[in-house]
Amino acid sequence: MAEPQFIGVDIGGTNIRAARFRPNSHFPEHKIKTLTLASGGLDIVLERMEAAVRDAAGIHFDDIAAIGIAAPGPIDPRSGTILNAPNLSGWTDLPLQRLMEERLGRRVYLGNDANVAALGEWKFGAGRGHNDVLYLTISTGIGAGLIAGGRMLVGASGLAAEVGHMLAVPDGPMCGCGLRGHLEAVASGTAIGRETRARLEAGQGVGSLLRGMSGGDLTRVTAELVGAAAQAGDEFATQQITEAGTHIGRTVASLLHVLNPSIVVFGGGVSLLGEVILEPIRAATRANTMSVAYWRNCPMVLAALGDDAGLVGAGALAMESVRTVAQFVAGA
Amino acid sequence: MAEPQFIGVDIGGTNIRAARFRPNSHFPEHKIKTLTLASGGLDIVLERMEAAVRDAAGIHFDDIAAIGIAAPGPIDPRSGTILNAPNLSGWTDLPLQRLMEERLGRRVYLGNDANVAALGEWKFGAGRGHNDVLYLTISTGIGAGLIAGGRMLVGASGLAAEVGHMLAVPDGPMCGCGLRGHLEAVASGTAIGRETRARLEAGQGVGSLLRGMSGGDLTRVTAELVGAAAQAGDEFATQQITEAGTHIGRTVASLLHVLNPSIVVFGGGVSLLGEVILEPIRAATRANTMSVAYWRNCPMVLAALGDDAGLVGAGALAMESVRTVAQFVAGA
């Protein structure tokens, strides 16, 4: 029999990405990117996912041992169900694992996209060799994946690692989830853009580069633009990023007390700003932990896999799941 | 060979407690309580611990398979070292496991007291049958123990589960650890007493029962007295307990998002106030979680083992450690 192959799929609101991997490798042998077209309805999306998997597999389809899927929103990984995906036409209680297994005739494993990216970074990226990893993704929202004692921490019903909804500022700004003061509501890319625009509109940041960079149209002030201005040395913009980084660092400090990881890995678009946000994150983390023992041997670093973390993680999910099943069967 | 026996030891600033257990049982066959006399110095305490273990073992000493010790303060469970114990004459980097093994000639395992109490509640108490348990102890301080996926979560260097040092109120009151706004600084028994005294001194709670109950001596207003007044229906006292419960509930909500347990268990003296504190904890937890899925199937209950949790947990630590070692050897 030929060497078994694995497919990773990363499904987002805009794109479906798929790749084929050889065992224990994170280099895609073949990579596919296609539009999700979520507005077309469920059947269209399932059809496009199936086609992406078959394209990524190519002539190796018969050798596919398993397929891993990274999907947004809360997921029950045990039943392979998407509980709620606002970015995917509001799918609820969707048994995506079963539906794809029926279409493909192969084992399918489903995971939350941040958890799966954490798995990728742990197995093949910045977290390699660590048994206790805190992975945070800072982009439109704030998500996470947790490795504890050499295993993914998913919780009793797969809902763990939602650090974006930890309380950061009691009675603070409204979060996308409808509650106040969550970390995501004060430190995500969305929050940075919203807060900066509000301050500019209120007359703050008089000499800021952002007024020129936005061409006077403040609706164009996004986290990306604020980050670019901060990197160019703009004091007002730097202050906005520093505030967000401080909120994140305080929450990281709380998480170090709870989880005591040996590395913290930051992914997501906002983290790509680099030191301008990492430095305030590190400073606030250190200032808010009760002992240096929590961070002395715990580097805080950027993710290594970039945009591919979800895709590589989905491939790793397939590989890990097959290994776990094999071990379970062997031990039974 | 006779049935193996296990000893649990719970060492605190005031008392050393020890008990003998039969395998898989949490009923102490024989129980010892003696003063710690920490001020007498390390050798005195070690001698008293040894004597307590030998007394608890009695004629069964030859059958003792292992001894578990629950000790306060941050601990490295892998090396069996107490890193720092302010309540035990400020012991630092004390290799208690090795010192007791030398004295007793038996395997000794060491754990943080809150972690060990959580182990007891998980194996024999309110958390029995659950794979994901959040155990909180609310007393002088606030500690915790976490079970995730059927295993104790201790972190990369044994420092996990310090939920008392999660940030609750940015820039809030000073915590015992020297940082501001930690949960322990706003919701522990110490914090309840301190805050209530300050408010009474500032003239609040004019008609409160506490003024009479304390005999006019406000230094006698402790969390216990505030709890008693609240249970008697005193509005001002109830408000103090409710505030603490609200802070705890908000932190529990953050922890549900991170850990997604299937049960939350409350131990420690303050939790014994019962519904007067549990009700605001539950209300704040529910109000601050983004989905009912986090608490619908997650009861929040009182610990079942009471004062014995540490002792029973220490016995369970000895039993579990022997089992783990046996499995490891069998699998090697």
Side-chain angles (χ1 to χ4, degrees):
Chain A
M1 190 188 152
E3 185 184 52
Q5 305 282 306
F6 298 89
I7 302 286
V9 181
D10 188 4
I11 174 164
T14 309
N15 290 308
I16 295 168
R17 304 171 72 212
R20 176 169 62 84
F21 299 93
R22 299 175 56 197
N24 301 313
S25 164
H26 68 287
F27 298 107
E29 302 292 321
H30 187 53
K31 227 160 122 173
I32 298 292
K33 183 172 168 178
T34 183
L35 291 172
T36 307
L37 303 185
S39 58
L42 176 61
D43 282 340
I44 299 285
V45 175
L46 293 179
E47 206 160 288
R48 298 184 69 81
M49 283 182 75
E50 179 183 349
V53 169
R54 291 188 185 274
D55 281 4
I59 61 164
H60 299 276
F61 190 81
D62 287 346
D63 305 323
I64 299 301
I67 295 143
I69 301 179
I75 276 170
D76 181 343
R78 292 182 183 79
S79 66
T81 307
I82 298 185
L83 300 178
N84 181 17
N87 294 335
L88 293 171
S89 309
W91 293 350
T92 53
D93 295 325
L94 179 77
L96 187 63
Q97 176 177 316
R98 183 174 57 75
L99 292 170
M100 292 310 290
E101 285 186 345
E102 283 169 7
R103 282 177 173 262
L104 292 161
R106 293 286 182 284
R107 275 273 173 230
V108 171
Y109 299 97
L110 187 65
N112 167 284
D113 50 9
N115 285 357
V116 168
L119 183 67
E121 288 291 336
W122 174 40
K123 288 291 169 186
F124 297 114
R128 203 171 348 185
H130 289 265
N131 274 320
D132 299 273
V133 181
L134 167 57
Y135 170 84
L136 268 95
T137 168
I138 313 161
S139 82
T140 317
I142 294 183
L146 312 173
I147 316 299
R151 291 193 319 193
M152 180 73 65
L153 193 163
V154 295
S157 41
L159 301 173
E162 290 286 354
V163 308
H165 301 280
M166 291 175 74
L167 193 62
V169 180
D171 307 314
M174 187 67 80
C175 182
C177 76
L179 296 173
R180 290 198 171 275
H182 287 176
L183 179 63
E184 185 166 298
V186 295
S188 64
T190 311
I192 293 170
R194 184 200 64 224
E195 196 56 35
T196 308
R197 282 193 300 276
R199 290 176 187 184
L200 288 168
E201 279 161 11
Q204 293 183 44
V206 173
S208 169
L209 295 174
L210 283 168
R211 297 195 179 270
M213 288 167 85
S214 62
D217 175 5
L218 293 183
T219 63
R220 289 172 57 194
V221 174
T222 60
E224 202 175 348
L225 204 72
V226 180
Q231 285 172 325
D234 184 70
E235 199 179 323
F236 174 76
T238 303
Q239 181 53 35
Q240 312 309 309
I241 302 290
T242 300
E243 269 185 37
T246 301
H247 285 302
I248 294 168
R250 287 174 164 186
T251 300
V252 169
S254 286
L255 288 168
L256 296 192
H257 289 128
V258 176
L259 302 166
N260 182 211
S262 58
I263 190 167
V264 184
V265 180
F266 295 97
V270 175
S271 71
L272 296 179
L273 294 174
E275 289 305 311
V276 73
I277 187 151
L278 285 183
E279 209 30 60
I281 290 176
R282 288 196 196 100
T285 301
R286 289 170 183 175
N288 287 282
T289 34
M290 65 165 163
S291 160
V292 296
Y294 282 100
W295 51 262
R296 193 173 36 198
N297 301 311
C298 179
M300 293 182 248
V301 302
L302 280 183
L305 301 176
D307 265 359
D308 276 350
L311 203 54
V312 169
L317 176 65
M319 295 175 208
E320 283 298 300
S321 301
V322 166
R323 204 191 325 267
T324 306
V325 170
Q327 280 170 352
F328 179 77
V329 171
Chain B
M1 190 189 153
E3 185 184 52
Q5 304 283 306
F6 298 89
I7 302 286
V9 181
D10 187 4
I11 173 165
T14 308
N15 291 307
I16 295 169
R17 303 171 71 212
R20 176 170 62 84
F21 297 94
R22 299 176 56 197
N24 301 312
S25 163
H26 68 288
F27 298 106
E29 303 291 321
H30 187 53
K31 228 160 121 173
I32 298 292
K33 183 170 167 178
T34 182
L35 291 172
T36 307
L37 302 184
S39 58
L42 177 60
D43 282 340
I44 299 286
V45 175
L46 292 178
E47 205 159 288
R48 297 184 69 80
M49 283 182 76
E50 180 183 347
V53 169
R54 291 188 186 275
D55 281 2
I59 61 163
H60 300 276
F61 190 81
D62 287 346
D63 305 322
I64 298 301
I67 296 143
I69 302 178
I75 275 170
D76 182 343
R78 292 182 183 77
S79 67
T81 307
I82 297 186
L83 301 177
N84 182 17
N87 294 336
L88 293 170
S89 308
W91 292 351
T92 54
D93 295 324
L94 178 79
L96 186 63
Q97 177 178 317
R98 183 174 57 73
L99 292 170
M100 291 311 290
E101 285 186 346
E102 284 170 7
R103 283 177 173 261
L104 292 161
R106 292 288 182 283
R107 275 273 174 230
V108 171
Y109 300 95
L110 187 63
N112 167 283
D113 50 9
N115 285 357
V116 168
L119 183 66
E121 287 291 336
W122 173 40
K123 289 290 170 187
F124 297 113
R128 200 165 356 178
H130 289 265
N131 275 319
D132 300 272
V133 180
L134 167 57
Y135 169 84
L136 268 96
T137 167
I138 313 160
S139 82
T140 317
I142 294 183
L146 312 173
I147 315 299
R151 292 192 320 194
M152 179 74 64
L153 193 162
V154 296
S157 41
L159 301 173
E162 289 286 354
V163 308
H165 302 279
M166 292 176 74
L167 192 61
V169 180
D171 308 314
M174 187 66 82
C175 182
C177 76
L179 295 173
R180 288 198 172 275
H182 287 176
L183 179 64
E184 185 166 300
V186 294
S188 63
T190 312
I192 293 170
R194 185 200 64 224
E195 195 57 35
T196 308
R197 282 193 299 275
R199 290 176 187 184
L200 288 168
E201 280 161 11
Q204 293 184 43
V206 173
S208 169
L209 294 175
L210 283 167
R211 297 195 179 271
M213 288 167 85
S214 62
D217 175 6
L218 292 183
T219 63
R220 290 172 58 195
V221 174
T222 60
E224 202 176 348
L225 203 70
V226 180
Q231 285 173 324
D234 184 70
E235 200 180 323
F236 173 76
T238 303
Q239 181 53 34
Q240 311 310 308
I241 302 289
T242 299
E243 270 185 39
T246 301
H247 285 303
I248 294 168
R250 287 173 163 187
T251 300
V252 168
S254 286
L255 288 168
L256 296 192
H257 288 129
V258 176
L259 302 167
N260 181 209
S262 58
I263 190 165
V264 184
V265 180
F266 296 96
V270 176
S271 71
L272 296 181
L273 295 175
E275 289 305 311
V276 72
I277 189 152
L278 285 183
E279 209 30 58
I281 290 176
R282 289 197 195 100
T285 301
R286 290 171 182 174
N288 287 283
T289 34
M290 65 165 162
S291 160
V292 297
Y294 282 99
W295 51 262
R296 193 175 33 198
N297 301 311
C298 180
M300 294 183 247
V301 302
L302 280 183
L305 302 176
D307 263 1
D308 276 350
L311 203 55
V312 169
L317 176 65
M319 295 174 207
E320 283 298 299
S321 300
V322 166
R323 204 193 324 268
T324 306
V325 170
Q327 280 170 353
F328 179 77
V329 171

